[in-house]
PDB file of all heavy atoms in Angstrom:
ATOM      1  N   ILE P 171     -34.256 -28.794 -14.077  1.00  0.00           N
ATOM      2  CA  ILE P 171     -34.341 -29.169 -15.486  1.00  0.00           C
ATOM      3  C   ILE P 171     -35.521 -30.045 -15.783  1.00  0.00           C
ATOM      4  O   ILE P 171     -35.916 -30.215 -16.945  1.00  0.00           O
ATOM      5  CB  ILE P 171     -33.028 -29.867 -15.926  1.00  0.00           C
ATOM      6  CG1 ILE P 171     -32.795 -31.115 -15.053  1.00  0.00           C
ATOM      7  CG2 ILE P 171     -31.871 -28.924 -15.833  1.00  0.00           C
ATOM      8  CD1 ILE P 171     -31.598 -31.927 -15.496  1.00  0.00           C
ATOM      9  N   TRP P 172     -36.162 -30.622 -14.753  1.00  0.00           N
ATOM     10  CA  TRP P 172     -37.360 -31.452 -14.954  1.00  0.00           C
ATOM     11  C   TRP P 172     -38.650 -30.684 -14.755  1.00  0.00           C
ATOM     12  O   TRP P 172     -39.715 -31.260 -14.743  1.00  0.00           O
ATOM     13  CB  TRP P 172     -37.325 -32.628 -13.969  1.00  0.00           C
ATOM     14  CG  TRP P 172     -36.217 -33.592 -14.244  1.00  0.00           C
ATOM     15  CD1 TRP P 172     -36.157 -34.548 -15.203  1.00  0.00           C
ATOM     16  CD2 TRP P 172     -34.978 -33.644 -13.560  1.00  0.00           C
ATOM     17  NE1 TRP P 172     -34.964 -35.220 -15.169  1.00  0.00           N
ATOM     18  CE2 TRP P 172     -34.200 -34.695 -14.169  1.00  0.00           C
ATOM     19  CE3 TRP P 172     -34.399 -32.942 -12.517  1.00  0.00           C
ATOM     20  CZ2 TRP P 172     -32.933 -35.025 -13.733  1.00  0.00           C
ATOM     21  CZ3 TRP P 172     -33.128 -33.289 -12.061  1.00  0.00           C
ATOM     22  CH2 TRP P 172     -32.397 -34.306 -12.686  1.00  0.00           C
ATOM     23  N   GLY P 173     -38.510 -29.334 -14.549  1.00  0.00           N
ATOM     24  CA  GLY P 173     -39.687 -28.540 -14.371  1.00  0.00           C
ATOM     25  C   GLY P 173     -40.274 -28.559 -13.010  1.00  0.00           C
ATOM     26  O   GLY P 173     -41.411 -28.075 -12.787  1.00  0.00           O
ATOM     27  N   LEU P 174     -39.547 -29.058 -12.013  1.00  0.00           N
ATOM     28  CA  LEU P 174     -40.015 -29.124 -10.634  1.00  0.00           C
ATOM     29  C   LEU P 174     -39.424 -27.969  -9.840  1.00  0.00           C
ATOM     30  O   LEU P 174     -38.386 -27.427 -10.195  1.00  0.00           O
ATOM     31  CB  LEU P 174     -39.623 -30.471 -10.001  1.00  0.00           C
ATOM     32  CG  LEU P 174     -40.176 -31.715 -10.700  1.00  0.00           C
ATOM     33  CD1 LEU P 174     -39.629 -32.970 -10.031  1.00  0.00           C
ATOM     34  CD2 LEU P 174     -41.681 -31.716 -10.687  1.00  0.00           C
ATOM     35  N   PRO P 175     -40.053 -27.596  -8.745  1.00  0.00           N
ATOM     36  CA  PRO P 175     -39.478 -26.512  -7.903  1.00  0.00           C
ATOM     37  C   PRO P 175     -38.095 -26.914  -7.376  1.00  0.00           C
ATOM     38  O   PRO P 175     -37.832 -28.077  -7.062  1.00  0.00           O
ATOM     39  CB  PRO P 175     -40.518 -26.381  -6.761  1.00  0.00           C
ATOM     40  CG  PRO P 175     -41.745 -26.905  -7.310  1.00  0.00           C
ATOM     41  CD  PRO P 175     -41.379 -28.021  -8.267  1.00  0.00           C
ATOM     42  N   LEU P 176     -37.204 -25.966  -7.328  1.00  0.00           N
ATOM     43  CA  LEU P 176     -35.841 -26.208  -6.934  1.00  0.00           C
ATOM     44  C   LEU P 176     -35.772 -26.541  -5.441  1.00  0.00           C
ATOM     45  O   LEU P 176     -36.386 -25.878  -4.605  1.00  0.00           O
ATOM     46  CB  LEU P 176     -34.969 -24.982  -7.217  1.00  0.00           C
ATOM     47  CG  LEU P 176     -33.450 -25.249  -7.395  1.00  0.00           C
ATOM     48  CD1 LEU P 176     -33.212 -26.153  -8.592  1.00  0.00           C
ATOM     49  CD2 LEU P 176     -32.714 -23.925  -7.567  1.00  0.00           C
ATOM     50  N   VAL P 177     -35.017 -27.585  -5.142  1.00  0.00           N
ATOM     51  CA  VAL P 177     -34.830 -28.021  -3.746  1.00  0.00           C
ATOM     52  C   VAL P 177     -34.101 -26.927  -2.987  1.00  0.00           C
ATOM     53  O   VAL P 177     -33.109 -26.362  -3.500  1.00  0.00           O
ATOM     54  CB  VAL P 177     -34.063 -29.344  -3.665  1.00  0.00           C
ATOM     55  CG1 VAL P 177     -33.915 -29.801  -2.231  1.00  0.00           C
ATOM     56  CG2 VAL P 177     -34.789 -30.411  -4.517  1.00  0.00           C
ATOM     57  N   PRO P 178     -34.503 -26.595  -1.742  1.00  0.00           N
ATOM     58  CA  PRO P 178     -33.823 -25.523  -1.018  1.00  0.00           C
ATOM     59  C   PRO P 178     -32.324 -25.782  -0.818  1.00  0.00           C
ATOM     60  O   PRO P 178     -31.515 -24.844  -0.883  1.00  0.00           O
ATOM     61  CB  PRO P 178     -34.561 -25.481   0.327  1.00  0.00           C
ATOM     62  CG  PRO P 178     -35.893 -26.035   0.028  1.00  0.00           C
ATOM     63  CD  PRO P 178     -35.700 -27.062  -1.035  1.00  0.00           C
ATOM     64  N   GLU P 179     -31.918 -27.049  -0.579  1.00  0.00           N
ATOM     65  CA  GLU P 179     -30.498 -27.334  -0.409  1.00  0.00           C
ATOM     66  C   GLU P 179     -29.720 -27.061  -1.692  1.00  0.00           C
ATOM     67  O   GLU P 179     -28.581 -26.531  -1.663  1.00  0.00           O
ATOM     68  CB  GLU P 179     -30.290 -28.768   0.035  1.00  0.00           C
ATOM     69  CG  GLU P 179     -30.754 -29.071   1.458  1.00  0.00           C
ATOM     70  CD  GLU P 179     -32.273 -29.263   1.526  1.00  0.00           C
ATOM     71  OE1 GLU P 179     -32.930 -29.209   0.469  1.00  0.00           O
ATOM     72  OE2 GLU P 179     -32.804 -29.432   2.645  1.00  0.00           O
ATOM     73  N   LEU P 180     -30.310 -27.428  -2.820  1.00  0.00           N
ATOM     74  CA  LEU P 180     -29.634 -27.182  -4.098  1.00  0.00           C
ATOM     75  C   LEU P 180     -29.544 -25.688  -4.401  1.00  0.00           C
ATOM     76  O   LEU P 180     -28.507 -25.187  -4.896  1.00  0.00           O
ATOM     77  CB  LEU P 180     -30.388 -27.891  -5.231  1.00  0.00           C
ATOM     78  CG  LEU P 180     -29.812 -27.756  -6.646  1.00  0.00           C
ATOM     79  CD1 LEU P 180     -28.369 -28.254  -6.696  1.00  0.00           C
ATOM     80  CD2 LEU P 180     -30.689 -28.478  -7.662  1.00  0.00           C
ATOM     81  N   ALA P 181     -30.591 -24.936  -4.077  1.00  0.00           N
ATOM     82  CA  ALA P 181     -30.592 -23.494  -4.305  1.00  0.00           C
ATOM     83  C   ALA P 181     -29.547 -22.824  -3.410  1.00  0.00           C
ATOM     84  O   ALA P 181     -28.812 -21.919  -3.854  1.00  0.00           O
ATOM     85  CB  ALA P 181     -31.950 -22.918  -4.035  1.00  0.00           C
ATOM     86  N   ARG P 182     -29.443 -23.316  -2.172  1.00  0.00           N
ATOM     87  CA  ARG P 182     -28.441 -22.733  -1.280  1.00  0.00           C
ATOM     88  C   ARG P 182     -27.026 -23.050  -1.760  1.00  0.00           C
ATOM     89  O   ARG P 182     -26.090 -22.222  -1.656  1.00  0.00           O
ATOM     90  CB  ARG P 182     -28.643 -23.301   0.133  1.00  0.00           C
ATOM     91  CG  ARG P 182     -27.779 -22.637   1.204  1.00  0.00           C
ATOM     92  CD  ARG P 182     -28.152 -21.195   1.408  1.00  0.00           C
ATOM     93  NE  ARG P 182     -27.330 -20.564   2.453  1.00  0.00           N
ATOM     94  CZ  ARG P 182     -27.489 -19.298   2.819  1.00  0.00           C
ATOM     95  NH1 ARG P 182     -28.356 -18.521   2.225  1.00  0.00           N
ATOM     96  NH2 ARG P 182     -26.700 -18.792   3.778  1.00  0.00           N
ATOM     97  N   GLY P 183     -26.801 -24.258  -2.285  1.00  0.00           N
ATOM     98  CA  GLY P 183     -25.507 -24.594  -2.805  1.00  0.00           C
ATOM     99  C   GLY P 183     -25.135 -23.768  -4.016  1.00  0.00           C
ATOM    100  O   GLY P 183     -23.971 -23.332  -4.158  1.00  0.00           O
ATOM    101  N   LYS P 184     -26.082 -23.512  -4.911  1.00  0.00           N
ATOM    102  CA  LYS P 184     -25.811 -22.627  -6.067  1.00  0.00           C
ATOM    103  C   LYS P 184     -25.499 -21.206  -5.575  1.00  0.00           C
ATOM    104  O   LYS P 184     -24.640 -20.526  -6.174  1.00  0.00           O
ATOM    105  CB  LYS P 184     -27.011 -22.612  -7.009  1.00  0.00           C
ATOM    106  CG  LYS P 184     -27.234 -23.933  -7.763  1.00  0.00           C
ATOM    107  CD  LYS P 184     -28.406 -23.815  -8.682  1.00  0.00           C
ATOM    108  CE  LYS P 184     -28.608 -25.100  -9.477  1.00  0.00           C
ATOM    109  NZ  LYS P 184     -27.513 -25.304 -10.457  1.00  0.00           N
ATOM    110  N   LEU P 185     -26.168 -20.766  -4.537  1.00  0.00           N
ATOM    111  CA  LEU P 185     -25.907 -19.434  -4.019  1.00  0.00           C
ATOM    112  C   LEU P 185     -24.499 -19.345  -3.424  1.00  0.00           C
ATOM    113  O   LEU P 185     -23.786 -18.365  -3.665  1.00  0.00           O
ATOM    114  CB  LEU P 185     -26.966 -19.076  -2.957  1.00  0.00           C
ATOM    115  CG  LEU P 185     -26.888 -17.666  -2.369  1.00  0.00           C
ATOM    116  CD1 LEU P 185     -27.166 -16.640  -3.435  1.00  0.00           C
ATOM    117  CD2 LEU P 185     -27.869 -17.529  -1.208  1.00  0.00           C
ATOM    118  N   ARG P 186     -24.121 -20.367  -2.658  1.00  0.00           N
ATOM    119  CA  ARG P 186     -22.733 -20.354  -2.110  1.00  0.00           C
ATOM    120  C   ARG P 186     -21.694 -20.366  -3.191  1.00  0.00           C
ATOM    121  O   ARG P 186     -20.699 -19.639  -3.143  1.00  0.00           O
ATOM    122  CB  ARG P 186     -22.567 -21.576  -1.181  1.00  0.00           C
ATOM    123  CG  ARG P 186     -23.319 -21.486   0.121  1.00  0.00           C
ATOM    124  CD  ARG P 186     -22.767 -22.514   1.109  1.00  0.00           C
ATOM    125  NE  ARG P 186     -22.926 -23.865   0.573  1.00  0.00           N
ATOM    126  CZ  ARG P 186     -23.965 -24.658   0.842  1.00  0.00           C
ATOM    127  NH1 ARG P 186     -24.939 -24.223   1.631  1.00  0.00           N
ATOM    128  NH2 ARG P 186     -24.026 -25.885   0.352  1.00  0.00           N
ATOM    129  N   ARG P 187     -21.924 -21.204  -4.218  1.00  0.00           N
ATOM    130  CA  ARG P 187     -20.960 -21.287  -5.307  1.00  0.00           C
ATOM    131  C   ARG P 187     -20.841 -19.941  -6.064  1.00  0.00           C
ATOM    132  O   ARG P 187     -19.752 -19.544  -6.462  1.00  0.00           O
ATOM    133  CB  ARG P 187     -21.390 -22.388  -6.295  1.00  0.00           C
ATOM    134  CG  ARG P 187     -20.273 -22.804  -7.259  1.00  0.00           C
ATOM    135  CD  ARG P 187     -20.733 -23.925  -8.158  1.00  0.00           C
ATOM    136  NE  ARG P 187     -21.205 -25.092  -7.420  1.00  0.00           N
ATOM    137  CZ  ARG P 187     -22.460 -25.492  -7.339  1.00  0.00           C
ATOM    138  NH1 ARG P 187     -23.436 -24.804  -7.964  1.00  0.00           N
ATOM    139  NH2 ARG P 187     -22.805 -26.537  -6.661  1.00  0.00           N
ATOM    140  N   GLY P 188     -21.966 -19.267  -6.251  1.00  0.00           N
ATOM    141  CA  GLY P 188     -21.915 -17.980  -6.942  1.00  0.00           C
ATOM    142  C   GLY P 188     -21.161 -16.940  -6.158  1.00  0.00           C
ATOM    143  O   GLY P 188     -20.383 -16.145  -6.730  1.00  0.00           O
ATOM    144  N   TRP P 189     -21.346 -16.879  -4.815  1.00  0.00           N
ATOM    145  CA  TRP P 189     -20.641 -15.882  -4.020  1.00  0.00           C
ATOM    146  C   TRP P 189     -19.148 -16.219  -3.921  1.00  0.00           C
ATOM    147  O   TRP P 189     -18.311 -15.332  -3.822  1.00  0.00           O
ATOM    148  CB  TRP P 189     -21.256 -15.796  -2.632  1.00  0.00           C
ATOM    149  CG  TRP P 189     -22.488 -14.939  -2.590  1.00  0.00           C
ATOM    150  CD1 TRP P 189     -23.781 -15.364  -2.393  1.00  0.00           C
ATOM    151  CD2 TRP P 189     -22.555 -13.531  -2.818  1.00  0.00           C
ATOM    152  NE1 TRP P 189     -24.646 -14.307  -2.460  1.00  0.00           N
ATOM    153  CE2 TRP P 189     -23.912 -13.177  -2.698  1.00  0.00           C
ATOM    154  CE3 TRP P 189     -21.631 -12.540  -3.065  1.00  0.00           C
ATOM    155  CZ2 TRP P 189     -24.345 -11.853  -2.835  1.00  0.00           C
ATOM    156  CZ3 TRP P 189     -22.043 -11.229  -3.200  1.00  0.00           C
ATOM    157  CH2 TRP P 189     -23.396 -10.889  -3.089  1.00  0.00           C
ATOM    158  N   ILE P 190     -18.811 -17.514  -3.912  1.00  0.00           N
ATOM    159  CA  ILE P 190     -17.389 -17.888  -3.880  1.00  0.00           C
ATOM    160  C   ILE P 190     -16.703 -17.458  -5.166  1.00  0.00           C
ATOM    161  O   ILE P 190     -15.591 -16.930  -5.146  1.00  0.00           O
ATOM    162  CB  ILE P 190     -17.274 -19.421  -3.655  1.00  0.00           C
ATOM    163  CG1 ILE P 190     -17.662 -19.783  -2.220  1.00  0.00           C
ATOM    164  CG2 ILE P 190     -15.861 -19.887  -3.942  1.00  0.00           C
ATOM    165  CD1 ILE P 190     -17.694 -21.270  -1.962  1.00  0.00           C
ATOM    166  N   GLN P 191     -17.321 -17.658  -6.310  1.00  0.00           N
ATOM    167  CA  GLN P 191     -16.730 -17.241  -7.561  1.00  0.00           C
ATOM    168  C   GLN P 191     -16.572 -15.727  -7.624  1.00  0.00           C
ATOM    169  O   GLN P 191     -15.593 -15.219  -8.187  1.00  0.00           O
ATOM    170  CB  GLN P 191     -17.591 -17.729  -8.735  1.00  0.00           C
ATOM    171  CG  GLN P 191     -17.605 -19.247  -8.907  1.00  0.00           C
ATOM    172  CD  GLN P 191     -18.528 -19.700 -10.014  1.00  0.00           C
ATOM    173  OE1 GLN P 191     -19.272 -18.894 -10.600  1.00  0.00           O
ATOM    174  NE2 GLN P 191     -18.546 -20.996 -10.274  1.00  0.00           N
ATOM    175  N   ALA P 192     -17.525 -14.991  -7.059  1.00  0.00           N
ATOM    176  CA  ALA P 192     -17.396 -13.535  -7.026  1.00  0.00           C
ATOM    177  C   ALA P 192     -16.294 -13.085  -6.049  1.00  0.00           C
ATOM    178  O   ALA P 192     -15.549 -12.139  -6.331  1.00  0.00           O
ATOM    179  CB  ALA P 192     -18.734 -12.912  -6.608  1.00  0.00           C
TER     180      ALA P 192
END
Side-chain angles (χ1 to χ4, degrees):
I171 58 175
W172 293 282
L174 301 176
L176 203 62
V177 181
E179 290 79 3
L180 181 59
R182 187 67 179 180
K184 290 180 177 292
L185 184 65
R186 288 196 299 266
R187 195 179 304 111
W189 279 112
I190 289 174
Q191 293 176 355

